[in-house]
Amino acid sequence: MATITGAVMTAHVPAIGGAIAKGIQQDPYWKPLFDGFPPVHAWLARAKPDVAVVFYNDHGLNFFLDKLPTFAVGAAPEYRNADEGWGIPTVRPFRGDPELSWHLIESLVADEFDITTCQEMLVDHALTLPMALLWPGGGEWPVRVVPIAMNHVQHPLPSLRRSYHLGQAVGRALQAWDEDARIVVLGTGGLSHQLDGKRAGFLNKPFDLMCMDAIVDDPEKLTRYSTVDIVREAGAQGTELMTWVAARGALAGPVRKVHSNYHIPISNTAAGLMVMEAA
Ligand code: DHB
Ligand code: FE
């Protein structure tokens, strides 16, 4: 049977890709972000995942406003990155796991989630940068990936409650997978940030810290916030919290926090990082 080794949640600010390309991780601006990751690397070395199931949000690379699924699951043998216009290098392709993807898709549809299935899928910075932060240094990616894209671009967005339920359904499917694989679940984005409009630059540290506590011990509490509540409390792009909540949902039962880091700002974003595993 498959084992879920735990979850990692991290910000995915595009500028991180520039910092990695320039090798300036130890510059004063970047150090507080990158210094959060060695404990994650140590945990990954113990957890030894074979697969990463990644809850993330596509920002217009693979889906655009003309066709935007609420939830989309990748079922490709390989996922490529492409230029999104941020001026950061594209990263090398990721190996997929079509067998796990189809198992997940079968299970989610049976569980009444009307997902979109993607046998071709470009993956944007929200998937590539967390992968580069977790497994730095180039070479072959040590895990296969199954991307799960969530709409945070065009309202109505899926609620945190719906996102949590999606995560729980994914967790049930992973646990029922009849393969001897070790699976890490990722949630990427957030925490508070707003990139445009009158409140551009808005951050909310007390709200972020509340979320980082609640996601460990009381994720149901977060599911009581509506999308409008989240936009107000965490900024328009703070809705990326949905990916963290989905990843937490995939870990059934009580969890314990292994590691966390929080630094503001990175670009316009409150950069949160958490690792958790079954208690
Ligand atoms: C920034 C943050 C994001 O989550 C994103 O997708 C793009 C930009 C930023 O803070 O610059
Ligand atoms: Fe984003």
mmCIF file of all heavy atoms in Angstrom, residues 37 87 123 171 189 195 202 204 213-214 217 243 261:
data_model
loop_
_atom_site.group_PDB
_atom_site.id
_atom_site.type_symbol
_atom_site.label_atom_id
_atom_site.label_comp_id
_atom_site.label_asym_id
_atom_site.label_seq_id
_atom_site.Cartn_x
_atom_site.Cartn_y
_atom_site.Cartn_z
ATOM 1 N N PHE A 37 14.877 26.260 4.536
ATOM 2 C CA PHE A 37 14.749 24.999 3.806
ATOM 3 C C PHE A 37 15.648 23.835 4.239
ATOM 4 O O PHE A 37 15.240 22.677 4.058
ATOM 5 C CB PHE A 37 14.838 25.256 2.295
ATOM 6 C CG PHE A 37 13.544 25.838 1.793
ATOM 7 C CD1 PHE A 37 13.318 27.208 1.798
ATOM 8 C CD2 PHE A 37 12.508 25.002 1.384
ATOM 9 C CE1 PHE A 37 12.101 27.742 1.395
ATOM 10 C CE2 PHE A 37 11.284 25.532 0.981
ATOM 11 C CZ PHE A 37 11.082 26.907 0.987
ATOM 12 N N GLY A 87 10.755 36.517 -16.540
ATOM 13 C CA GLY A 87 12.197 36.696 -16.723
ATOM 14 C C GLY A 87 13.021 35.727 -15.908
ATOM 15 O O GLY A 87 14.179 35.999 -15.577
ATOM 16 N N VAL A 123 3.369 23.283 -16.577
ATOM 17 C CA VAL A 123 3.328 23.638 -15.151
ATOM 18 C C VAL A 123 4.085 24.953 -14.943
ATOM 19 O O VAL A 123 5.162 25.157 -15.494
ATOM 20 C CB VAL A 123 3.900 22.509 -14.265
ATOM 21 C CG1 VAL A 123 2.934 21.332 -14.223
ATOM 22 C CG2 VAL A 123 5.289 22.066 -14.707
ATOM 23 N N GLY A 171 -6.502 12.326 -0.299
ATOM 24 C CA GLY A 171 -5.847 11.520 0.746
ATOM 25 C C GLY A 171 -6.407 10.098 0.783
ATOM 26 O O GLY A 171 -5.643 9.121 0.845
ATOM 27 N N GLY A 189 1.879 28.374 -2.500
ATOM 28 C CA GLY A 189 1.294 29.696 -2.652
ATOM 29 C C GLY A 189 1.229 30.416 -1.315
ATOM 30 O O GLY A 189 1.822 29.979 -0.336
ATOM 31 N N LEU A 195 -1.337 41.583 -5.281
ATOM 32 C CA LEU A 195 -0.388 42.074 -6.282
ATOM 33 C C LEU A 195 -0.854 43.336 -6.991
ATOM 34 O O LEU A 195 -0.042 44.046 -7.570
ATOM 35 C CB LEU A 195 -0.110 40.978 -7.326
ATOM 36 C CG LEU A 195 0.502 39.688 -6.769
ATOM 37 C CD1 LEU A 195 0.713 38.680 -7.883
ATOM 38 C CD2 LEU A 195 1.813 39.958 -6.040
ATOM 39 N N PHE A 202 -0.588 44.573 0.284
ATOM 40 C CA PHE A 202 -1.240 44.241 1.558
ATOM 41 C C PHE A 202 -0.701 42.921 2.118
ATOM 42 O O PHE A 202 -0.601 41.924 1.403
ATOM 43 C CB PHE A 202 -2.756 44.137 1.345
ATOM 44 C CG PHE A 202 -3.507 43.683 2.562
ATOM 45 C CD1 PHE A 202 -3.822 44.575 3.573
ATOM 46 C CD2 PHE A 202 -3.883 42.345 2.711
ATOM 47 C CE1 PHE A 202 -4.510 44.152 4.707
ATOM 48 C CE2 PHE A 202 -4.579 41.919 3.840
ATOM 49 C CZ PHE A 202 -4.890 42.818 4.835
ATOM 50 N N ASN A 204 -0.809 40.505 6.036
ATOM 51 C CA ASN A 204 -1.501 40.402 7.321
ATOM 52 C C ASN A 204 -0.844 39.307 8.170
ATOM 53 O O ASN A 204 -1.278 38.153 8.168
ATOM 54 C CB ASN A 204 -2.987 40.107 7.090
ATOM 55 C CG ASN A 204 -3.793 40.182 8.372
ATOM 56 O OD1 ASN A 204 -3.236 40.188 9.473
ATOM 57 N ND2 ASN A 204 -5.106 40.238 8.236
ATOM 58 N N ASP A 213 -1.067 28.111 12.610
ATOM 59 C CA ASP A 213 -1.436 27.313 13.795
ATOM 60 C C ASP A 213 -2.628 26.413 13.478
ATOM 61 O O ASP A 213 -2.616 25.216 13.764
ATOM 62 C CB ASP A 213 -1.820 28.233 14.967
ATOM 63 C CG ASP A 213 -0.590 28.818 15.648
ATOM 64 O OD1 ASP A 213 0.512 28.262 15.448
ATOM 65 O OD2 ASP A 213 -0.737 29.830 16.353
ATOM 66 N N ALA A 214 -3.645 27.041 12.893
ATOM 67 C CA ALA A 214 -4.908 26.307 12.690
ATOM 68 C C ALA A 214 -4.727 25.148 11.712
ATOM 69 O O ALA A 214 -5.357 24.099 11.876
ATOM 70 C CB ALA A 214 -5.989 27.258 12.183
ATOM 71 N N ASP A 217 -3.657 22.106 13.870
ATOM 72 C CA ASP A 217 -4.506 21.544 14.928
ATOM 73 C C ASP A 217 -5.996 21.660 14.671
ATOM 74 O O ASP A 217 -6.779 20.936 15.274
ATOM 75 C CB ASP A 217 -4.199 22.247 16.265
ATOM 76 C CG ASP A 217 -2.808 21.906 16.752
ATOM 77 O OD1 ASP A 217 -2.374 20.757 16.496
ATOM 78 O OD2 ASP A 217 -2.155 22.765 17.361
ATOM 79 N N THR A 243 -4.577 25.989 -1.478
ATOM 80 C CA THR A 243 -3.683 24.854 -1.778
ATOM 81 C C THR A 243 -3.120 24.257 -0.480
ATOM 82 O O THR A 243 -2.901 23.055 -0.393
ATOM 83 C CB THR A 243 -2.520 25.275 -2.693
ATOM 84 O OG1 THR A 243 -1.657 26.173 -1.979
ATOM 85 C CG2 THR A 243 -3.024 25.946 -3.968
ATOM 86 N N ASN A 261 8.575 28.158 8.964
ATOM 87 C CA ASN A 261 9.334 29.390 8.788
ATOM 88 C C ASN A 261 8.367 30.435 8.236
ATOM 89 O O ASN A 261 7.409 30.097 7.527
ATOM 90 C CB ASN A 261 10.495 29.159 7.796
ATOM 91 C CG ASN A 261 11.474 30.314 7.775
ATOM 92 O OD1 ASN A 261 11.910 30.801 8.803
ATOM 93 N ND2 ASN A 261 11.828 30.774 6.572
#
